[in-house]
Amino acid sequence: MSHAVEKARRGFGRMKHPAWSGVACATALTLVTLAPPAGASTPTADSGRSAASALHGISWSTLSVAPGVQVRTGVLRDSAAAPAWSVTVQAPAVNRLTGAATWAPLGDRAWADATAARLRGAGFEPRLEQVTWDEYSDTPRGTMGWQVRVGRYATQAEAGTANTAVVAAGFRTAVDWTGYDGRERPDGENIHVAVVDPARFAGTVGASDGGNVADRENTSTVATRLGSLIGVNGGFFITSDADGVQGTLAGLSAEHGRLESMAVGSRAALILGDGGRRPRIADLSTTVTVRDGSAVYGVQGINRVPGKVRNCGRPGAVPTVEPRHDTTCTIADDLVEFTPEFRASLPAGAGVQVVLDKRGVVVSVGDRGGAVPDHGSVLQGIGGAAEWLTAHARVGKRLSLREVIRDSSHREIRLGPDDSIVSAAPTLVEDGRVHIDAATEGTLDPRDLSFGFAWSNVRQPRTLAGIDRRGRLLLVTVDGRQPGVSEGFTLAEAARFMRSLGAVQALNLDGGGSTAMAVDGKLVNVTSDATGERAVGDTIQVLPRRRTT
């Protein structure tokens, strides 16, 4: 028997197993709570340790990029943290929406006890770890479930050898770094905080899709081309041809006052009003209709493949009309609008296509395909939507499109030419308090532990946006998926961190391998993909004032 396998059966590796505290990650962020950028409000007691004690174990460097624009780089190193590699046994589960058999990283206590007994019978020494619900506003409290683990190892290779033995004994497993658990202290975090003060900054802040909504581009590449002072990645987007056209946004987006994709349910969005001088965060939904006289039909998508809606959240979507992160739903009767910013071949297939000029007058009716005219738009319909177009679209007739954006108070958001929107999920801070709508915004399902646990409860690279009481925009990245170097934040840690910076509003943007910050066009964080910086769908760019001649 190999040394690693023998240690698996004894239940320990070369790293000492700290005493189990039995609490969630409520105390973890106290080590990374920071003194706010200059002028920010002092963190309150509920947001962690005081500014003085928070600086213990973390060093900062500050760069003034332009008047009113500052970037702080913080590096946490916690020598008291002792994460390790471990083998986690998976629990059998059922996908709540589809009924398909699947696996979850945790189960109930009865499963955990039975699994531990089986492991002991196979010669292993398991440990049971209680996982509690984190600081979400819309989930239960108390115990979420139990994880069953074997061993603590200094290297991933040792854990892999032990894992082979556990799998051979008939268990479904995963090899995990315990530093990603919110209930263990991280030993490293690399953080960048950009602060943009619209009262002092003479430039603009806005969303940029790189000029083509149907394309992917590195955040730093867009920043370099635009001469950006600071750029960060933006919202969720399509990454696979199976889910649509790569680069198109999987949620609400608007640029230069034009809606470029629709909301999936009511999810968090950063509204950059008046070129970023009036930023705010709100849960937004969208309604788009096409009208022929008294006949009206609902448009369910902008710049996406008809019949496929990433992250669900649209009427008629199957298997759910609610937001469901990283899930592609289908819509049988689907009407989609394409704008000139969709600079790729239009989706082909069954259905009807109507080409409109800039006044909304029908230019042609026919099969799907081709390209969007530079000064026009295209409607594609399948199922009942195709039938509606066939009945109402005639060459020379005008069809009117109406787009409405509303916040959670049902107030209409009217966009001007200098306004843009980037959306993601979930909300993190609302009215100055931690308020995480994980279940409502579809990043976690309290009734299905196979969905969203790693995305929400496990430390990941994150990109965050917030606004403080002075109206300053906070753009934050934390590196992750780098054991022993930088492990990232859970959603709750991200929320508490933003609150510690003085944010009264904050949301989670796209993260993981997408997390990137560029300063003066150069990437300043360490991205987590092995291939380097990931090409993304849209970005947020802080642009200097353009001189006029």
Side-chain angles (χ1 to χ4, degrees), residues 232-253:
V232 298
N233 64 291
F236 305 128
F237 61 97
I238 304 297
T239 61
S240 168
D241 293 340
D243 300 313
V245 177
Q246 291 197 34
T248 54
L249 277 299
L252 172 61
S253 67

Side-chain angles (χ1 to χ4, degrees), residues 400-420:
S400 60
L401 283 162
R402 184 168 186 264
E403 302 174 346
V404 178
I405 306 170
R406 295 189 187 278
D407 63 19
S408 56
S409 299
H410 304 291
R411 292 175 296 184
E412 185 172 348
I413 309 298
R414 298 183 181 275
L415 298 180
D418 294 325
D419 300 339
S420 57

Side-chain angles (χ1 to χ4, degrees), residues 407-489:
D407 63 19
S408 56
S409 299
H410 304 291
R411 292 175 296 184
E412 185 172 348
I413 309 298
R414 298 183 181 275
L415 298 180
D418 294 325
D419 300 339
S420 57
I421 299 175
V422 175
S423 72
T427 302
L428 298 175
V429 178
E430 188 175 90
D431 297 328
R433 297 179 179 274
V434 170
H435 186 89
I436 309 169
D437 294 335
T440 303
E441 299 192 43
T443 67
L444 192 67
D445 187 344
R447 294 174 289 172
D448 184 356
L449 296 181
S450 71
F451 174 78
F453 177 81
W455 201 95
S456 301
N457 272 61
V458 173
R459 292 189 178 111
Q460 303 284 359
R462 306 278 181 187
T463 302
L464 316 165
I467 301 160
D468 70 11
R469 293 190 185 279
R470 293 170 52 186
R472 298 182 304 176
L473 177 64
L474 311 173
L475 299 173
V476 176
T477 62
V478 56
D479 294 342
R481 298 178 185 168
Q482 300 167 42
V485 178
S486 188
E487 286 148 329
F489 288 157

Side-chain angles (χ1 to χ4, degrees), residues 322-408:
E322 301 299 324
R324 186 82 167 182
H325 193 63
D326 283 349
T327 302
T328 298
C329 283
T330 60
I331 301 180
D333 304 311
D334 198 14
L335 185 58
V336 176
E337 175 192 3
F338 292 87
T339 70
E341 286 68 33
F342 188 90
R343 304 184 188 280
S345 297
L346 287 163
V352 173
Q353 176 171 296
V354 175
V355 179
L356 307 174
D357 68 12
K358 63 181 180 180
R359 296 175 299 130
V361 175
V362 177
V363 175
S364 66
V365 180
D367 295 334
R368 292 167 55 201
V372 182
D374 288 339
H375 301 289
S377 61
V378 169
L379 295 173
Q380 287 192 350
I382 61 173
E387 295 174 3
W388 192 92
L389 288 176
T390 299
H392 294 276
R394 298 283 187 273
V395 174
K397 177 184 283 191
R398 184 175 182 273
L399 300 178
S400 60
L401 283 162
R402 184 168 186 264
E403 302 174 346
V404 178
I405 306 170
R406 295 189 187 278
D407 63 19
S408 56

